């Protein structure tokens, strides 16, 4: 059974940094893609970053490239999202997700490609 539990959300001023962590278990052997999504209030959920657990490749939304870094510590089963240079438009509920994906194809940043979700962690960036 896949379990995903986020932590590390909070409030920060624009330009600041936060690191989100996701304690992930049960996804090895079932999910090639794990990643982060976010959903601002009243808007659709959007992909932020993902990592291919077999190939090690990383994928980012254009809006966060150069500011956010996704990484995973396989031995600890923890997925991280380091967020630097935060902007007010980064304010959202952030979700950790795992999707089956494919051993030979890139991960997608579309929500429909991920079947397992954490409960979310709120990130608020003030100007």
């Amino acid at each position: 059974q896949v379990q995903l539990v986020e932590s590390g959300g909070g409030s920060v001023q624009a330009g600041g940094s936060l690191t989100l962590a996701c304690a992930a278990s049960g996804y090895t052997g079932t999910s090639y893609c794990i990643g982060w999504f976010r959903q601002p209030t009243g808007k659709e959920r959007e992909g932020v970053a993902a990592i291919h657990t077999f190939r090690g490749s990383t994928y980012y939304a254009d809006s966060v490239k150069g500011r956010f870094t996704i990484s995973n510590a396989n031995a600890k089963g923890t997925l991280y999202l380091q967020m630097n240079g935060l902007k007010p438009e980064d304010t959202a509920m952030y979700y950790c997700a795992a999707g089956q994906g494919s051993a030979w194809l890139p991960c997608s940043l579309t929500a429909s490609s991920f079947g397992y979700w954490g409960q979310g962690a709120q990130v608020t960036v003030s100007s």
Side-chain angles (χ1 to χ4, degrees):
Q1 183 179 358
V2 178
Q3 291 188 325
L4 306 167
V5 181
E6 301 95 336
S7 61
S11 298
V12 66
Q13 288 190 329
S17 299
L18 279 175
T19 299
L20 298 178
C22 173
S25 61
Y27 70 90
T28 303
T30 62
S31 302
Y32 285 106
C33 296
I34 52 175
W36 293 95
F37 286 73
R38 66 186 182 187
Q39 187 167 18
T41 301
K43 297 185 178 180
E44 293 186 355
R45 193 168 297 189
E46 61 180 4
V48 175
I51 189 166
H52 197 289
T53 60
F54 177 61
R55 302 168 72 85
S57 303
T58 56
Y59 312 89
Y60 294 94
D62 288 343
S63 59
V64 306
K65 280 181 182 177
R67 298 189 298 124
F68 291 11
T69 303
I70 187 172
S71 62
N72 66 332
N74 287 323
K76 296 183 179 180
T78 303
L79 181 70
Y80 298 98
L81 185 68
Q82 173 68 42
M83 303 182 291
N84 298 325
L86 283 162
K87 304 176 181 179
E89 51 263 44
D90 294 319
T91 295
M93 185 71 78
Y94 282 71
Y95 297 91
C96 178
Q100 183 175 359
S102 167
W104 310 112
L105 296 176
C107 293
S108 169
L109 287 178
T110 55
S112 60
S113 297
F114 290 74
Y116 303 97
W117 297 87
Q119 84 287 354
Q122 179 67 37
V123 172
T124 302
V125 184
S126 58
S127 58

